[in-house]
Amino acid sequence: MVQLPRDNNQTDRLRAPVIRIGAWQWLKSNLFNGVFNSVVTILVCIFLYKIIPPFVRWAFIDSLWLSTADQCRAGDGACWSIIPANIRFIIFGFYPYELHWRPTVAMIMLISLLFYSKNRNHWNTSLGYIWIAGLLIMGILMRGGIWGLTAVESDQWGGLPLTLMLSVFGMFAAYPLGILLALGRRSKMPAIKTLCILYIELIRGVPLISLLFMSAVLFPLFLPAGLTVNKIIRAQAAIILFTAAYIAEVVRGGLQAISRGQYEAAESLGLNYVQKMRLVVLPQALKIVIPPTVGILISAFKDTSLVVIIALYDILKTTRSVLGNPSWMGFSPEAYIFVALIYFVCCYAMSNYSRRLERELHS
Amino acid sequence: MQKGASSNATPDTEQGISFFNDRKIRAVAYQIAALFMVGLLGYYLFSNTVANLQRQAIATGFGFLNKQASFEIGESLIHYSAADTYVRALLVGVLNTLKVAFVGIVLTVVLGTFLGIARLSTNWLVAKLAAVYIEVMQDIPILLQLFFWYSFFYDILPAPREAIEPFAGVFMSNRGLVFAVPQWHPVYTYIAAAGLAGCIGAYVLRKWARKRQERTGQIFPVFIFSLGIIIGLPFVTWLSAGAPHKMSVPQLVGFNFQGGLNMSPEFGALLLGLVLYTAAFVAEIVRAGIQAISKGQTEAAMAIGLKRGQILNLVILPQALRVIIPPLTSQMLNLTKNSSLAVAIGFPDFVSVASTTINQTGQAIEGISLIMLVYLCFSLLTSLFMNWYNKKMALIER
């Protein structure tokens, strides 16, 4: 049966009388209601029985957690040892070994900032300043060079910090750009409108990988001789330009949903274009599109993994280079499952949060 | 808004308010400024590029397309060898992309629809399993899934000698998937032609039946007759050719299989990854489409005495499809765009062939423009189709 969203506010509403009690009744009404469903249930149970016990055996019972690669090869089960044995490289890449505390602190800061921002009561101007300050400190921690911190060039950055940096900076920079593009697309000035439509449709029509290729291969050609931009920054720019086009389309949907009356009321108050958009239209439009925006952010987060193809050492690439090490070769399922878990936890948290926010905003 | 602007403008001009506060003049100024800045940026990048190309002595233009490619491509739908030109190599790439996209889209729609319906099943176990599948697959990057399936073929599956045979005639090994297919016989061409003729016949029949129903009110059993034509014509053709049924079964010869149809590990991994990933998104779309139809529609259709099939055909599907098709098309396009990740696992799709071309010729600008152009064409075709479909299906209100 279709599950209705739980609404806690309306507990006082009369509920349907309870007619099913007990586990047996539950089984009967949810798994064995009708011949077809009973057959399906039994088939699914057989299928699960075939799959789950061998998997549990492989992953937990026969598995090795803290052994050497040779011990793993002798065993039958999963070799989770590949993770603890290489964890520092998988997480931090080529970042200088003795300086690993710096990205660690930066990541903890980022995560606690994200947790703090989860609460909608904290959403105000000072939160914006906290974020700007936080991102700055994180950047300084990663980069070093001042306050007695050793400088670490950005081509040594890698692993999870790089993945997080590409996605967080990508989101923060793409969001305002996307809003500007959406406003431009809704503009009445033909030249600006055409430029924005061209940009948005062009970017949305090509795969991200072609933009990444462009950033890796073409970008150096576009700059005057002697001026070089770091590879990570170039990939970051490609991700921002790509995400902005998608955010623009989502925001445009929100702008279209705001009724004409709002625009007219703002104009009749004598607000100019910037005031009208900033004070009246955008606050409403952006609120409507929070759920699809989170969807875009989730896919932007997943898409940062594509930088593997232009040989940046994000967490997927560090994992793959561990797998390229002859002694750990062949344990790819374990390693990939570990990386998948990291991505899954992040994306699931985001999508769960977006669903909760959607409920809160609707009620 | 228009009215407000014009009534504002009249007193402004009458009182001779400053030139810079006139709305129209401002708009023109903004646009000129925007165009000027974009032009300036374009000129800056262009002049830098020209200078760099000259300095590094990189050739420009598409002249390289007619030169000999001199690299091999693993799999190809048309005949190709290293002696052919770059154009042909790129064409092989486009065809490979289309092959993955076509097979992938068909499988994705089937699996996605199945999962979407399973997600709404009254069976608790089935609904929960589908929900878990959808959530997990959506939250893992497609590239990671592709790597996983690629390593599944190469690291987990055994060598051809110990190939796993899950069903009779299907062999899985680290050389890919091999399965038995009917041995080639000239009559298969005629069978395909008969099938096509059957489809056209069914279409004409449907048109005629609708006209007849509008004229006389009599209902013609179109579905049964169409099914008869579409299946019957090829079947009769097959029987009239003496019912050839010889199968080409894969045989282990030396280190690999001979005969049957072979699916390379690269293609297998790409297809598996794309289908399993995109199906999760399609399932959500299908679920939303089904849930968008209120129960009242079904009940109203029952109340005017329609049969089950008619309810589905005339009431539910037209409404559900209106909700489902637009996001579905964009998922299909996503699948096509994601197939460009083939370059990471070595399947020779268009991007992969183009990047080899770039590496060999050094002409990155032309190569990347070609990549973008081809994908833009795919997108343009899709959005043309979407516009046509939206026009056809749009709700015609009073």
Side-chain angles (χ1 to χ4, degrees), chain B residues 293-305:
Chain B
I293 310 304
S294 72
K295 216 174 174 164
Q297 296 284 333
T298 319
E299 287 166 356
M302 280 164 151
I304 52 173

Side-chain angles (χ1 to χ4, degrees), chain B residues 195-210:
Chain B
L196 197 68
C199 289
I200 296 171
Y203 179 74
V204 172
L205 184 73
R206 196 184 132 98
K207 282 247 157 176
W208 171 80
R210 174 144 297 178

Side-chain angles (χ1 to χ4, degrees), chain B residues 168-189:
Chain B
V170 179
F171 297 92
M172 285 162 71
S173 70
N174 60 11
R175 296 293 179 87
L177 195 67
V178 196
F179 41 87
V181 283
Q183 187 130 44
W184 174 248
H185 190 280
V187 77
Y188 287 123
T189 332

Side-chain angles (χ1 to χ4, degrees), chain A residues 41 191 204 221 223 302 332, chain B residues 31 52 123 138 155 291 337:
Chain A
T41 304
R204 277 161 42 92
L221 285 179
L223 294 177
K302 285 187 294 179
S332 39
Chain B
Q31 293 184 63
N52 281 326
N123 189 320
Q138 284 191 342
D155 286 348
Q291 282 182 328
K337 283 194 280 180

Side-chain angles (χ1 to χ4, degrees), chain A residues 344-361:
Chain A
F344 175 77
V345 168
C346 295
C347 293
Y348 185 73
M350 279 196 268
S351 65
N352 223 2
Y353 178 64
S354 127
R355 273 189 290 248
R356 213 187 71 195
L357 209 57
E358 202 172 346
R359 272 203 302 275
E360 280 177 15
L361 292 175

Side-chain angles (χ1 to χ4, degrees), chain A residues 236-296:
Chain A
Q236 178 81 78
I239 289 174
I240 291 171
L241 293 179
F242 184 77
T243 314
Y246 284 82
I247 288 185
E249 280 302 272
V250 166
V251 172
R252 182 170 74 113
L255 289 175
Q256 278 173 342
I258 303 301
S259 75
R260 226 184 143 81
Q262 297 287 331
Y263 290 87
E264 286 167 357
E267 273 168 10
S268 69
L269 284 175
L271 302 183
N272 64 25
Y273 180 80
V274 177
Q275 289 170 327
K276 177 177 76 180
M277 287 302 168
R278 195 171 70 85
L279 300 172
V280 180
V281 178
L282 278 179
Q284 301 181 65
L286 295 184
K287 186 179 151 186
I288 305 175
V289 295
I290 285 176
T293 311
V294 178
I296 301 280

